Amino acid sequence: MDLRQMEYLVALADERQFTRAAQLVGVSQSGLSAAVRSLEEELGASLFTRTTRRVEPTEAGLALLPHARSMLAQAAAGRDAVVRATRALSGSLRVGSEQCLGVVDVTTLLERFHRRYPQVEIHFAQAGSHDLLARVREGDLDVAFVATTEHLGPLSQTVLGSEPLVLVCAPEHPLAARGRVDWADLSGQEFVDFDPSWGARPVNDATCAAHGVHRRVRCSVNDVHTLLELVDRGLGIALVPRHVAAKPQAERLVTLALPEGGAPSWTVSVVTGRWDSAASAAPQLLELLADAPACRGVDVVRPEGETAGVEVVAEVR
């Protein structure tokens, strides 16, 4: 068993489907499937049961999973220890992120950065994507993880991934029994949505307008869990990224796919301003991002310029 096989095992166990797991580890779906089969042959046991819709770990797979996670954690800790011993880094780091981005786990990224560079002072905060972009433009932040492709101006952007938006509603809502919805079904409905500074809100507004959906946003929130609770309590329906609908807080809610024609997507990017690479810790953070499973294969932009020291604003999952 090697580390790559363990990485594939963990990704497939977490995602429960080959397509997304392959995207996370940066290989083709066929490559992932072949690697898992090879591991099963090596161990002489089936690690997953496969159906046309879902993949589930077997008892053998569940038994191996904690050991796989431990191997990956120990390997990362070993690499971090070497970096810590050979590359001293101090100063501060400024990063920003919208909440619950899904495509990238910023808290884990910051944990690993701190483990590698304990002398760097990290300032952590979070805000809506449009507010974060303004702070990067003003030089208050060096790096921001955002869920918008608008209003970038001169900023450098690297797309990390995307996923579809879905509709969530309380099980008592009339739409819950439909199984599927058309755009016309959403017209006149009351919605719970994010504050306009969040990346999803302009996407939702533009999509509804494009399909002639006249809606009333009854509640605007700045917190994912509050949004899900308001939907659960019947105050409206909501358009959210697919990973939000999969949260434990959404377990009671009904998730419906939007019509295929013109369905919006949630796109997550890392955005950078201009900073002096000789004085900033931001390049070291971006190096870790390029090595993160969900972002492997992404060519991370490393701008050069003149910007003083570095703060962090990040995601809570």
Side-chain angles (χ1 to χ4, degrees), residues 147-314:
T148 181
T149 57
E150 299 179 334
H151 310 303
L152 296 178
L155 303 179
S156 299
Q157 176 200 26
T158 301
V159 174
L160 302 179
S162 62
E163 61 180 88
L165 292 178
V166 297
L167 180 75
V168 292
C169 62
E172 300 83 11
H173 195 280
L175 291 179
R178 297 283 185 90
R180 60 181 299 274
V181 293
D182 294 319
W183 295 112
D185 298 328
L186 305 185
S187 202
Q189 297 286 346
E190 293 188 328
F191 282 76
V192 180
D193 210 332
F194 297 106
D195 181 84
S197 67
W198 282 53
R201 178 63 178 271
V203 174
N204 293 343
D205 288 342
T207 300
C208 288
H211 293 282
V213 176
H214 301 284
R215 66 177 188 148
R216 175 191 172 196
V217 178
R218 170 184 275 183
C219 306
S220 293
V221 302
N222 279 301
D223 173 62
V224 170
H225 297 162
T226 300
L227 179 142
L228 294 174
E229 184 175 359
L230 290 171
V231 172
D232 192 18
R233 294 179 181 275
L235 273 77
I237 60 178
L239 298 172
V240 299
R242 183 174 56 191
H243 73 273
V244 171
K247 280 181 163 291
Q249 292 82 359
E251 183 177 6
R252 206 182 80 88
L253 302 180
V254 175
T255 301
L256 300 170
L258 296 172
E260 292 185 5
S265 63
W266 165 268
T267 301
V268 174
S269 303
V270 58
V271 173
T272 54
R274 295 180 62 82
W275 27 260
D276 183 355
S277 59
S280 172
Q284 284 73 22
L285 179 71
L286 296 180
E287 286 177 6
L288 290 181
L289 176 65
D291 189 44
C295 306
R296 184 156 293 145
V298 172
D299 184 15
V300 177
V301 176
R302 293 173 175 80
E304 295 181 0
E306 294 184 1
T307 298
V310 185
E311 171 190 348
V312 180
V313 186

Side-chain angles (χ1 to χ4, degrees), residues 105-125:
D105 185 348
V106 180
T107 54
T108 299
L109 188 68
L110 293 179
E111 176 195 12
R112 190 172 180 200
F113 179 91
H114 179 63
R115 193 164 61 233
R116 278 197 173 198
Y117 307 109
Q119 296 182 51
V120 175
E121 182 179 357
I122 299 175
H123 304 272
F124 176 86

Side-chain angles (χ1 to χ4, degrees), residues 70-107:
S70 177
M71 286 178 63
L72 293 174
Q74 288 178 9
R79 290 192 293 270
D80 294 341
V82 171
V83 171
R84 187 165 56 246
T86 58
R87 282 192 265 168
L89 188 69
S90 60
S92 60
L93 176 67
R94 302 178 299 175
V95 181
S97 177
E98 189 170 294
Q99 188 189 58
C100 295
L101 290 176
V103 171
V104 56
D105 185 348
V106 180
T107 54

